[in-house]
Amino acid sequence: MILDSKIPAGPLAEKWTKHKFSSKLVNPANKRKYDVIVVGTGLAGASAAASLAELGYNVKAFCFQDSPRRAHSIAAQGGINAAKNYQNDGDSVYRLFYDTIKGGDYRAREANVYRLAEVSVNIIDQCVAQGVPFAREYGGLLANRSFGGAQVSRTFYARGQTGQQLLLGAYSALSRQVATGKVKLYPRTEMMDVVVIDGQAKGIVTRNLITGAVETHAAHAVLLCTGGYGNVFFLSTNAMGSNVTAAWRAHKRGAHFANPCFTQIHPTCIPVSGDHQSKLTLMSESLRNDGRVWVPKTQETAEKLRKGQIKANDIKDEDRDYFLERKYPSFGNLVPRDVASRNAKYVCDEGRGVNETGEAVFLDFRDAIKRDGRDVIEQKYGNLFDMYMQITGENPYEVPMMIYPAVHYTMGGLWVDYNLMTSVPGLYALGEANFSDHGANRLGASALMQGLADGYFVIPYTLGDYLASIPPKKVEEDHPEFAKVKAEVEGRIQKLLSINGTKTVDYFHKKLGKIMWNECGMARTAEGLKKAKSEIQALRKEFWSDVKVLGANEELNQSLEKAHRVADFLELGELMVDDALNRNESCGGHFREEYQTPEGEALRDDENYAYVAAWKYMGEGVQEELDKEPLVFENVKLTQRSYK
């Protein structure tokens, strides 16, 4: 299949402006005749639903939480990027574009990334107008701080709770439209499948999480804003409910799944403390502005630390290895996430890890507190320090934090064109649910930027172009395809409930997570990936013969909810392994040990792998088909990424 990215012709800086003008419009009277479904009400979903309703469309918004305010978007702490150049330090739209392309290791589309940088400046204005309480400088301008992968300060923040404040802004806009009746909100409702009629997405099938009722909903277009799939690893920084089900079911209905193996590992996470944990806690990357990352210079000193014979503050400066500052003097502790994560793994693999498990490094604020005073550090990061203290029982004002990399953001997702439409006409994917803007690695503070760019500033134009091409005749749910898909969903529910095996859903999820983390995590090898593939296949077979799902469908049943999600993760995990095996190079968060420079950096193969890997579902138990979208670079030179 030829994947048409629909990238507009013309100079990079003019593409989006010309594309907006050439897109067909729906007149205000006709907008009232079109129905749009938005699945997910995090930053991308809430902003899209509010913006489309404001334009006049009839929107149905589906949220599996009891309120959109619980979306995982609130967990983004550090900030949101925008090329405002308030600091007058050399920033520009082009520099944000370049940093993002480079940070993604040249595995993203130029046109999409430039548009993201271009609309970033509008996002900040929109959010300030909504009342988002960004930090301000003494003179009243919005404050900025620096973030990984950039040498300028362009990250706008609201202390250490930026995601939460931005979500409250989008939620306010959404609530206004709910009150006017233009948005109908369906809380505690999970999407189970997509309904495709004559090749076009025309609705969804849902399950009410309180009553178990399976229902159908029709519309002229469906927007999936359902986040990422990091929980395929079981332990991740994602909320427990984060899952891949909506995107995966869309994939099985014909939407290509792109670059599934590109997983971002976040370097600044509270280390794993034992098998009892169900999730990991992220400490914001903003902490790397003032915190210094280090481990002891020798294994002997690290061993004493692990045994409790000495404390971190006993170790003199000359016996500390500030390894990021040593290896990357230009960027220091602010190297991109994949680089910081890999280097933390290297020093721990050498036996210089600092906690009992040997899998942690220090993030130390001693020098920053000495330089700026405790009050200043508290003002910047107070809630993050409090959170760390409550979880670990240690005071980071007095002793260094301990951190270790953990699964965070997924750069893969449903393939979309420049209009954010998947390979199924009428089916769109926004925010983390799509693959489009980050490449093989994501720079910090760009997830919030992408979610809001897609929802506030891209989809209102591109969706109108599609809707203008189809008649505004109401889509009826009496089409036989709705009944057929609904019956398939009910059949899947009954199958899960009837297995009545001996092992819990969590048992399978944990086993899958260990396979994925060990063989398809921070480092991968062909041998390990082949082993993982056969282990996942065996685990999936065992799941469908021996899982025990308690309770019934006609009730609140979290065991059943989890079972659906883990069933999808078991299929996705195998595709991630296939994708990682197919990509014989290292780039960004995809690190194949066979492909690295003598210094241990990622070694790309631009001649053979400068493409988007878009996988097409071919049926149950059949190997997926790989379609390739070549990546063409006309404005940036592909170079070996260096942060030295």
Side-chain angles (χ1 to χ4, degrees), residues 485-529:
V485 177
K486 183 183 177 186
E488 287 173 14
V489 168
E490 289 171 335
R492 200 156 52 231
I493 290 169
Q494 289 314 312
K495 186 177 177 186
L496 282 167
L497 289 168
S498 65
I499 294 167
N500 199 26
T502 61
K503 297 186 177 78
T504 65
V505 177
D506 272 357
Y507 164 85
F508 291 99
H509 197 175
K510 281 182 181 177
K511 280 199 87 166
L512 173 66
K514 280 188 174 161
I515 296 167
M516 295 301 294
W517 177 249
N518 291 335
E519 309 300 350
C520 198
M522 262 198 284
R524 298 130 188 224
T525 63
E527 187 187 348
L529 290 165

CSV table of all heavy atoms in Angstrom, one decimal, residues 485-529:
chain,number,residue,atom,x,y,z
A,485,VAL,N,-20.4,-5.5,14.7
A,485,VAL,CA,-19.3,-5.2,15.6
A,485,VAL,C,-19.7,-5.3,17.0
A,485,VAL,O,-18.9,-5.8,17.9
A,485,VAL,CB,-18.7,-3.8,15.2
A,485,VAL,CG1,-17.6,-3.4,16.2
A,485,VAL,CG2,-18.2,-3.7,13.8
A,486,LYS,N,-20.9,-4.9,17.4
A,486,LYS,CA,-21.4,-5.0,18.8
A,486,LYS,C,-21.4,-6.5,19.2
A,486,LYS,O,-21.0,-6.9,20.3
A,486,LYS,CB,-22.8,-4.4,18.9
A,486,LYS,CG,-23.3,-4.5,20.3
A,486,LYS,CD,-24.7,-3.9,20.4
A,486,LYS,CE,-25.3,-4.0,21.8
A,486,LYS,NZ,-26.7,-3.6,21.9
A,487,ALA,N,-21.9,-7.4,18.3
A,487,ALA,CA,-21.9,-8.8,18.6
A,487,ALA,C,-20.5,-9.4,18.8
A,487,ALA,O,-20.3,-10.2,19.7
A,487,ALA,CB,-22.6,-9.6,17.5
A,488,GLU,N,-19.5,-8.9,18.0
A,488,GLU,CA,-18.2,-9.4,18.2
A,488,GLU,C,-17.6,-8.9,19.5
A,488,GLU,O,-16.9,-9.7,20.2
A,488,GLU,CB,-17.3,-8.8,17.0
A,488,GLU,CG,-17.6,-9.4,15.7
A,488,GLU,CD,-16.8,-8.8,14.5
A,488,GLU,OE1,-15.9,-7.9,14.8
A,488,GLU,OE2,-17.1,-9.0,13.4
A,489,VAL,N,-17.9,-7.7,19.9
A,489,VAL,CA,-17.4,-7.2,21.2
A,489,VAL,C,-18.0,-8.1,22.4
A,489,VAL,O,-17.3,-8.5,23.3
A,489,VAL,CB,-17.8,-5.7,21.4
A,489,VAL,CG1,-17.6,-5.3,22.9
A,489,VAL,CG2,-17.0,-4.9,20.5
A,490,GLU,N,-19.3,-8.3,22.3
A,490,GLU,CA,-20.0,-9.1,23.3
A,490,GLU,C,-19.4,-10.6,23.3
A,490,GLU,O,-19.3,-11.2,24.4
A,490,GLU,CB,-21.5,-9.1,23.1
A,490,GLU,CG,-22.2,-7.8,23.4
A,490,GLU,CD,-23.6,-7.7,22.9
A,490,GLU,OE1,-24.0,-8.4,22.0
A,490,GLU,OE2,-24.4,-6.9,23.5
A,491,GLY,N,-19.1,-11.1,22.2
A,491,GLY,CA,-18.5,-12.4,22.1
A,491,GLY,C,-17.2,-12.5,22.8
A,491,GLY,O,-16.8,-13.4,23.5
A,492,ARG,N,-16.4,-11.4,22.6
A,492,ARG,CA,-15.0,-11.3,23.2
A,492,ARG,C,-15.2,-11.3,24.7
A,492,ARG,O,-14.4,-11.9,25.5
A,492,ARG,CB,-14.3,-10.1,22.7
A,492,ARG,CG,-12.8,-10.2,22.8
A,492,ARG,CD,-12.1,-9.3,21.8
A,492,ARG,NE,-12.5,-7.9,21.8
A,492,ARG,CZ,-12.9,-7.3,20.7
A,492,ARG,NH1,-12.8,-7.9,19.5
A,492,ARG,NH2,-13.3,-6.0,20.7
A,493,ILE,N,-16.2,-10.5,25.2
A,493,ILE,CA,-16.4,-10.4,26.7
A,493,ILE,C,-16.8,-11.8,27.2
A,493,ILE,O,-16.2,-12.2,28.3
A,493,ILE,CB,-17.5,-9.4,26.9
A,493,ILE,CG1,-17.0,-7.9,26.6
A,493,ILE,CG2,-18.0,-9.5,28.4
A,493,ILE,CD1,-18.1,-6.9,26.6
A,494,GLN,N,-17.7,-12.4,26.6
A,494,GLN,CA,-18.1,-13.8,27.1
A,494,GLN,C,-17.0,-14.8,27.1
A,494,GLN,O,-16.9,-15.6,28.0
A,494,GLN,CB,-19.3,-14.3,26.3
A,494,GLN,CG,-20.6,-13.5,26.5
A,494,GLN,CD,-20.9,-13.3,28.0
A,494,GLN,OE1,-20.8,-14.2,28.8
A,494,GLN,NE2,-21.2,-12.0,28.4
A,495,LYS,N,-16.2,-14.7,26.0
A,495,LYS,CA,-15.0,-15.6,25.9
A,495,LYS,C,-14.1,-15.4,27.1
A,495,LYS,O,-13.7,-16.4,27.8
A,495,LYS,CB,-14.3,-15.4,24.6
A,495,LYS,CG,-13.2,-16.4,24.4
A,495,LYS,CD,-12.5,-16.2,23.0
A,495,LYS,CE,-11.4,-17.2,22.8
A,495,LYS,NZ,-10.6,-17.0,21.6
A,496,LEU,N,-13.8,-14.2,27.5
A,496,LEU,CA,-12.9,-13.9,28.6
A,496,LEU,C,-13.5,-14.4,29.9
A,496,LEU,O,-12.8,-15.0,30.8
A,496,LEU,CB,-12.6,-12.4,28.7
A,496,LEU,CG,-11.5,-11.9,27.7
A,496,LEU,CD1,-11.6,-10.4,27.7
A,496,LEU,CD2,-10.1,-12.4,28.0
A,497,LEU,N,-14.8,-14.2,30.1
A,497,LEU,CA,-15.4,-14.6,31.3
A,497,LEU,C,-15.6,-16.1,31.5
A,497,LEU,O,-15.7,-16.6,32.6
A,497,LEU,CB,-16.8,-13.9,31.4
A,497,LEU,CG,-16.8,-12.4,31.7
A,497,LEU,CD1,-18.2,-11.9,31.4
A,497,LEU,CD2,-16.4,-12.1,33.1
A,498,SER,N,-15.6,-16.8,30.3
A,498,SER,CA,-15.9,-18.2,30.3
A,498,SER,C,-14.6,-19.1,30.5
A,498,SER,O,-14.7,-20.3,30.8
A,498,SER,CB,-16.6,-18.7,29.1
A,498,SER,OG,-15.8,-18.5,27.9
A,499,ILE,N,-13.4,-18.5,30.3
A,499,ILE,CA,-12.2,-19.3,30.4
A,499,ILE,C,-12.0,-19.9,31.8
A,499,ILE,O,-11.7,-21.1,31.9
A,499,ILE,CB,-10.9,-18.5,30.0
A,499,ILE,CG1,-11.0,-18.0,28.6
A,499,ILE,CG2,-9.7,-19.3,30.3
A,499,ILE,CD1,-10.0,-17.0,28.2
A,500,ASN,N,-12.2,-19.1,32.8
A,500,ASN,CA,-12.2,-19.6,34.2
A,500,ASN,C,-11.0,-20.4,34.6
A,500,ASN,O,-11.1,-21.5,35.1
A,500,ASN,CB,-13.5,-20.4,34.5
A,500,ASN,CG,-13.7,-20.5,36.0
A,500,ASN,OD1,-13.3,-19.6,36.8
A,500,ASN,ND2,-14.4,-21.5,36.4
A,501,GLY,N,-9.8,-19.8,34.2
A,501,GLY,CA,-8.6,-20.5,34.4
A,501,GLY,C,-8.1,-20.4,35.9
A,501,GLY,O,-8.9,-20.1,36.8
A,502,THR,N,-6.7,-20.4,36.0
A,502,THR,CA,-6.2,-20.5,37.4
A,502,THR,C,-5.3,-19.2,37.7
A,502,THR,O,-4.9,-19.0,38.8
A,502,THR,CB,-5.3,-21.7,37.6
A,502,THR,OG1,-4.2,-21.7,36.7
A,502,THR,CG2,-6.2,-23.0,37.4
A,503,LYS,N,-5.0,-18.4,36.7
A,503,LYS,CA,-4.1,-17.3,36.9
A,503,LYS,C,-4.7,-16.0,36.7
A,503,LYS,O,-5.6,-15.8,35.8
A,503,LYS,CB,-2.9,-17.5,35.9
A,503,LYS,CG,-2.1,-18.7,36.2
A,503,LYS,CD,-0.8,-18.8,35.4
A,503,LYS,CE,0.0,-20.0,35.7
A,503,LYS,NZ,-0.5,-21.2,35.0
A,504,THR,N,-4.3,-15.0,37.5
A,504,THR,CA,-4.9,-13.7,37.4
A,504,THR,C,-4.4,-12.9,36.2
A,504,THR,O,-3.4,-13.2,35.6
A,504,THR,CB,-4.5,-12.8,38.6
A,504,THR,OG1,-3.1,-12.6,38.6
A,504,THR,CG2,-4.9,-13.5,39.9
A,505,VAL,N,-5.2,-11.9,35.8
A,505,VAL,CA,-4.8,-11.0,34.7
A,505,VAL,C,-3.4,-10.4,35.0
A,505,VAL,O,-2.6,-10.3,34.1
A,505,VAL,CB,-5.8,-9.9,34.5
A,505,VAL,CG1,-5.4,-9.0,33.3
A,505,VAL,CG2,-7.2,-10.6,34.1
A,506,ASP,N,-3.2,-9.9,36.2
A,506,ASP,CA,-1.9,-9.3,36.6
A,506,ASP,C,-0.7,-10.2,36.4
A,506,ASP,O,0.4,-9.8,36.1
A,506,ASP,CB,-2.0,-8.8,38.1
A,506,ASP,CG,-2.6,-7.4,38.1
A,506,ASP,OD1,-2.8,-6.8,37.1
A,506,ASP,OD2,-2.7,-6.8,39.2
A,507,TYR,N,-1.0,-11.5,36.7
A,507,TYR,CA,0.1,-12.5,36.5
A,507,TYR,C,0.7,-12.4,35.0
A,507,TYR,O,1.9,-12.4,34.8
A,507,TYR,CB,-0.4,-13.9,36.8
A,507,TYR,CG,0.5,-15.0,36.3
A,507,TYR,CD1,1.6,-15.5,37.0
A,507,TYR,CD2,0.2,-15.6,35.0
A,507,TYR,CE1,2.4,-16.5,36.6
A,507,TYR,CE2,1.1,-16.6,34.5
A,507,TYR,CZ,2.1,-17.1,35.3
A,507,TYR,OH,2.9,-18.1,34.8
A,508,PHE,N,-0.3,-12.4,34.1
A,508,PHE,CA,0.1,-12.3,32.7
A,508,PHE,C,0.8,-11.0,32.3
A,508,PHE,O,1.7,-10.9,31.6
A,508,PHE,CB,-1.1,-12.6,31.8
A,508,PHE,CG,-1.5,-14.0,31.8
A,508,PHE,CD1,-2.6,-14.4,32.6
A,508,PHE,CD2,-0.8,-15.0,31.2
A,508,PHE,CE1,-3.0,-15.7,32.7
A,508,PHE,CE2,-1.2,-16.4,31.3
A,508,PHE,CZ,-2.3,-16.7,32.0
A,509,HIS,N,0.2,-9.9,32.9
A,509,HIS,CA,0.7,-8.6,32.6
A,509,HIS,C,2.1,-8.4,33.1
A,509,HIS,O,3.0,-7.9,32.4
A,509,HIS,CB,-0.2,-7.5,33.2
A,509,HIS,CG,-0.1,-6.1,32.6
A,509,HIS,ND1,-0.9,-5.1,33.0
A,509,HIS,CD2,0.8,-5.6,31.7
A,509,HIS,CE1,-0.5,-4.0,32.3
A,509,HIS,NE2,0.5,-4.3,31.6
A,510,LYS,N,2.4,-8.9,34.3
A,510,LYS,CA,3.7,-8.8,34.9
A,510,LYS,C,4.7,-9.6,34.1
A,510,LYS,O,5.9,-9.1,33.8
A,510,LYS,CB,3.7,-9.3,36.3
A,510,LYS,CG,3.2,-8.3,37.3
A,510,LYS,CD,3.3,-8.8,38.7
A,510,LYS,CE,2.7,-7.8,39.7
A,510,LYS,NZ,2.7,-8.3,41.1
A,511,LYS,N,4.3,-10.8,33.6
A,511,LYS,CA,5.2,-11.6,32.9
A,511,LYS,C,5.6,-11.0,31.5
A,511,LYS,O,6.7,-11.0,31.1
A,511,LYS,CB,4.6,-13.0,32.6
A,511,LYS,CG,4.7,-13.9,33.8
A,511,LYS,CD,4.5,-15.4,33.4
A,511,LYS,CE,5.8,-16.1,33.0
A,511,LYS,NZ,5.8,-17.5,32.9
A,512,LEU,N,4.5,-10.4,30.9
A,512,LEU,CA,4.8,-9.7,29.6
A,512,LEU,C,5.7,-8.5,29.8
A,512,LEU,O,6.6,-8.3,29.1
A,512,LEU,CB,3.4,-9.2,29.0
A,512,LEU,CG,3.5,-8.3,27.8
A,512,LEU,CD1,4.1,-9.1,26.6
A,512,LEU,CD2,2.2,-7.7,27.5
A,513,GLY,N,5.4,-7.8,30.9
A,513,GLY,CA,6.3,-6.6,31.2
A,513,GLY,C,7.7,-6.9,31.4
A,513,GLY,O,8.6,-6.2,30.9
A,514,LYS,N,8.0,-8.0,32.1
A,514,LYS,CA,9.4,-8.4,32.3
A,514,LYS,C,10.1,-8.8,30.9
A,514,LYS,O,11.2,-8.5,30.7
A,514,LYS,CB,9.5,-9.6,33.3
A,514,LYS,CG,9.4,-9.1,34.7
A,514,LYS,CD,9.6,-10.1,35.7
A,514,LYS,CE,9.6,-9.5,37.1
A,514,LYS,NZ,9.4,-10.4,38.2
A,515,ILE,N,9.3,-9.5,30.1
A,515,ILE,CA,9.9,-9.9,28.8
A,515,ILE,C,10.2,-8.6,28.0
A,515,ILE,O,11.3,-8.5,27.4
A,515,ILE,CB,8.9,-10.8,28.0
A,515,ILE,CG1,8.7,-12.1,28.7
A,515,ILE,CG2,9.4,-11.0,26.6
A,515,ILE,CD1,7.5,-12.9,28.1
A,516,MET,N,9.3,-7.7,28.0
A,516,MET,CA,9.4,-6.5,27.2
A,516,MET,C,10.6,-5.6,27.7
A,516,MET,O,11.4,-5.1,27.0
A,516,MET,CB,8.1,-5.7,27.2
A,516,MET,CG,7.0,-6.3,26.5
A,516,MET,SD,7.3,-6.7,24.8
A,516,MET,CE,7.4,-5.1,24.1
A,517,TRP,N,10.7,-5.5,29.0
A,517,TRP,CA,11.7,-4.6,29.6
A,517,TRP,C,13.1,-5.2,29.4
A,517,TRP,O,14.1,-4.6,29.1
A,517,TRP,CB,11.4,-4.4,31.1
A,517,TRP,CG,12.5,-3.6,31.8
A,517,TRP,CD1,13.4,-4.1,32.8
A,517,TRP,CD2,12.8,-2.2,31.7
A,517,TRP,NE1,14.2,-3.1,33.2
A,517,TRP,CE2,13.9,-1.9,32.5
A,517,TRP,CE3,12.3,-1.2,30.9
A,517,TRP,CZ2,14.4,-0.6,32.6
A,517,TRP,CZ3,12.8,0.1,31.0
A,517,TRP,CH2,13.9,0.4,31.8
A,518,ASN,N,13.2,-6.6,29.6
A,518,ASN,CA,14.5,-7.2,29.5
A,518,ASN,C,15.0,-7.3,28.0
A,518,ASN,O,16.2,-7.1,27.8
A,518,ASN,CB,14.5,-8.6,30.0
A,518,ASN,CG,14.3,-8.6,31.6
A,518,ASN,OD1,14.7,-7.7,32.2
A,518,ASN,ND2,13.7,-9.7,32.1
A,519,GLU,N,14.1,-7.5,27.1
A,519,GLU,CA,14.5,-7.8,25.7
A,519,GLU,C,14.2,-6.6,24.7
A,519,GLU,O,14.8,-6.6,23.6
A,519,GLU,CB,13.9,-9.1,25.2
A,519,GLU,CG,14.1,-10.3,26.1
A,519,GLU,CD,15.6,-10.6,26.4
A,519,GLU,OE1,16.4,-10.1,25.7
A,519,GLU,OE2,15.8,-11.5,27.3
A,520,CYS,N,13.2,-5.8,25.1
A,520,CYS,CA,12.8,-4.7,24.1
A,520,CYS,C,12.7,-3.4,24.8
A,520,CYS,O,12.0,-2.5,24.5
A,520,CYS,CB,11.4,-5.1,23.5
A,520,CYS,SG,11.1,-4.2,22.0
A,521,GLY,N,13.6,-3.2,25.9
A,521,GLY,CA,13.6,-2.0,26.7
A,521,GLY,C,14.7,-1.1,26.3
A,521,GLY,O,14.8,-0.7,25.2
A,522,MET,N,15.6,-0.8,27.3
A,522,MET,CA,16.7,0.2,27.0
A,522,MET,C,17.7,-0.3,26.0
A,522,MET,O,18.3,0.5,25.3
A,522,MET,CB,17.4,0.6,28.3
A,522,MET,CG,16.8,1.8,28.9
A,522,MET,SD,17.9,2.5,30.2
A,522,MET,CE,17.7,1.5,31.5
A,523,ALA,N,17.9,-1.6,25.9
A,523,ALA,CA,18.9,-2.1,25.0
A,523,ALA,C,18.3,-3.4,24.4
A,523,ALA,O,17.6,-4.1,25.1
A,523,ALA,CB,20.2,-2.4,25.6
A,524,ARG,N,18.5,-3.6,23.1
A,524,ARG,CA,17.9,-4.7,22.4
A,524,ARG,C,19.0,-5.4,21.5
A,524,ARG,O,19.9,-4.8,21.1
A,524,ARG,CB,16.8,-4.3,21.4
A,524,ARG,CG,15.6,-3.6,22.1
A,524,ARG,CD,15.3,-2.2,21.5
A,524,ARG,NE,14.3,-1.5,22.3
A,524,ARG,CZ,13.2,-0.9,21.9
A,524,ARG,NH1,13.0,-0.8,20.6
A,524,ARG,NH2,12.4,-0.3,22.7
A,525,THR,N,18.8,-6.7,21.4
A,525,THR,CA,19.7,-7.5,20.5
A,525,THR,C,18.8,-8.4,19.7
A,525,THR,O,17.7,-8.8,20.1
A,525,THR,CB,20.7,-8.4,21.3
A,525,THR,OG1,19.9,-9.4,22.0
A,525,THR,CG2,21.6,-7.6,22.2
A,526,ALA,N,19.3,-8.8,18.5
A,526,ALA,CA,18.5,-9.7,17.6
A,526,ALA,C,18.2,-11.0,18.4
A,526,ALA,O,17.0,-11.5,18.3
A,526,ALA,CB,19.3,-10.0,16.3
A,527,GLU,N,19.1,-11.5,19.1
A,527,GLU,CA,18.9,-12.8,19.8
A,527,GLU,C,17.8,-12.6,20.9
A,527,GLU,O,16.9,-13.5,21.0
A,527,GLU,CB,20.2,-13.2,20.4
A,527,GLU,CG,20.2,-14.6,21.1
A,527,GLU,CD,21.5,-14.9,21.9
A,527,GLU,OE1,22.5,-14.2,21.7
A,527,GLU,OE2,21.5,-15.9,22.6
A,528,GLY,N,17.9,-11.6,21.6
A,528,GLY,CA,17.0,-11.3,22.7
A,528,GLY,C,15.6,-11.1,22.2
A,528,GLY,O,14.6,-11.5,22.7
A,529,LEU,N,15.5,-10.4,21.0
A,529,LEU,CA,14.2,-10.1,20.4
A,529,LEU,C,13.5,-11.3,19.9
A,529,LEU,O,12.3,-11.5,20.1
A,529,LEU,CB,14.3,-9.0,19.3
A,529,LEU,CG,14.7,-7.6,19.8
A,529,LEU,CD1,15.2,-6.8,18.7
A,529,LEU,CD2,13.5,-7.0,20.5
